[in-house]
Amino acid sequence: PRCNCTTVANCAFIARPANRRNVFAYLDDGGPPDDRDDWERAVNWSLTSHVIRNTHHPILIGEDGAIVLNDALWPTYGKDSLLCTAHSKGVRVLADVDPLGFDAGHINPALEEARFLRNSSAVSRAAHEISEWITAAGYDGAGFDFEGLSVGSWSLEFEHQVGSGLIALLSQTRKALRAGNPHAEVVFAVSTNNNPWFNQSYRMGQITAQIDWCLVMGYDMWHRNTDAGPNAPLPAVKAALESFLTGWGTPSTKLVLGIPWYGYTYRCQEPVPSPAT
């Protein structure tokens, strides 16, 4: 991957924006063309400091630690117009990183992720390949999205080993990224659930020590094995943030609250009534 911005200056890494609140825009603009591709309309560049680019998971990690580039729409694996525009506005762009099974419909993605994280050689390979690709393409860091680890019914020892691998992956990737770009940042997205599903794989106190931002998904309130409830109710979001601050000792300076905002209208997979009815 190489930078292909028309204006060469936009190929440079962006330092953390000064005199601007940290506001992250999480963009899912991949896959079949739809309204989500209209990022020029969706992003307020004067307010946004970071964009996490989730083009249906651009970087996926296989069980052996090899990365898979998942967006065939990217031109020549280099910078595209979104990234070039963001840099011209002084906004940083981070590439979303996910385990392969999370996106590929594998039979047991949680176990596949766990096996990967228990393999120290695979973890090191992934950290190297992720940082190499991101640095060469001109991205400003990585946003990790490992959500499936709390699904397994494993022993505490197994979960602890998986958690150690996750911490190592974040630490090694951040170190490798900063070798090529001293401004590079690592973000880790995490659900709001402070319950038994948050097993030993997610030791948030140690995780947050290895990253720059902890993105709490305030819209991710319910698990498929729990009863459904309201989306992002204020008391539950408040309790979740307090669990990070007091339960895991996450520094408030690293916490970013994700809110359920969508700038587009979606329809259910049902017939749309005609105007006459």
Side-chain angles (χ1 to χ4, degrees), residues 168-237:
L169 175 64
L170 297 170
S171 175
Q172 291 179 31
T173 302
R174 187 170 182 260
K175 181 178 180 180
L177 281 171
R178 292 205 164 183
N181 171 16
H183 301 297
E185 293 178 317
V186 169
V187 174
F188 185 75
V190 63
S191 74
T192 55
N193 294 322
N194 182 18
N195 57 36
W197 294 106
F198 240 93
N199 60 18
Q200 291 294 312
S201 299
Y202 295 101
R203 303 202 296 275
M204 294 309 302
Q206 295 178 58
I207 287 175
T208 52
Q210 306 300 329
I211 61 177
D212 297 281
W213 305 103
C214 179
L215 179 56
V216 180
M217 296 183 287
Y219 45 86
D220 192 10
M221 306 301 299
W222 312 102
H223 190 274
R224 61 173 170 264
N225 291 328
T226 64
D227 292 332
N231 192 334
L234 184 59
V237 173

Side-chain angles (χ1 to χ4, degrees), residues 93-127:
V93 182
L94 284 65
D96 188 66
V97 182
D98 296 84
L100 179 61
F102 183 75
D103 192 60
H106 291 196
I107 295 176
N108 195 337
L111 184 58
E112 182 176 307
E113 295 170 40
R115 287 172 177 163
F116 157 64
L117 291 171
R118 293 181 74 205
N119 185 336
S120 59
S121 297
V123 167
S124 295
R125 176 183 182 181

Side-chain angles (χ1 to χ4, degrees), residues 2 6 17 49 51 85 87 91 101 108-109 115 154 158 221 228 231:
R2 293 292 183 270
T6 303
S49 62
V51 169
T85 299
H87 276 197
V91 175
N108 195 337
R115 287 172 177 163
W154 308 316
F158 188 95
M221 306 301 299
N231 192 334

Side-chain angles (χ1 to χ4, degrees), residues 26 28 36 41-42 219-220 231 259-266:
Y26 193 84
D28 184 355
R36 291 173 294 179
R41 180 171 64 89
Y219 45 86
D220 192 10
N231 192 334
I259 60 175
W261 174 84
Y262 299 93
Y264 313 100
T265 301
Y266 294 91

Side-chain angles (χ1 to χ4, degrees), residues 60-141:
L60 299 170
I61 309 174
E63 190 173 331
D64 61 354
I67 68 169
V68 179
L69 302 180
N70 195 41
D71 192 343
L73 300 179
W74 286 13
T76 63
Y77 299 121
K79 283 197 170 192
D80 57 5
S81 56
L82 182 149
L83 222 154
C84 300
T85 299
H87 276 197
S88 72
K89 305 293 185 180
V91 175
R92 319 195 79 203
V93 182
L94 284 65
D96 188 66
V97 182
D98 296 84
L100 179 61
F102 183 75
D103 192 60
H106 291 196
I107 295 176
N108 195 337
L111 184 58
E112 182 176 307
E113 295 170 40
R115 287 172 177 163
F116 157 64
L117 291 171
R118 293 181 74 205
N119 185 336
S120 59
S121 297
V123 167
S124 295
R125 176 183 182 181
H128 171 75
E129 292 194 13
I130 291 167
S131 61
E132 185 177 56
W133 187 90
I134 285 178
T135 301
Y139 279 77
D140 302 289

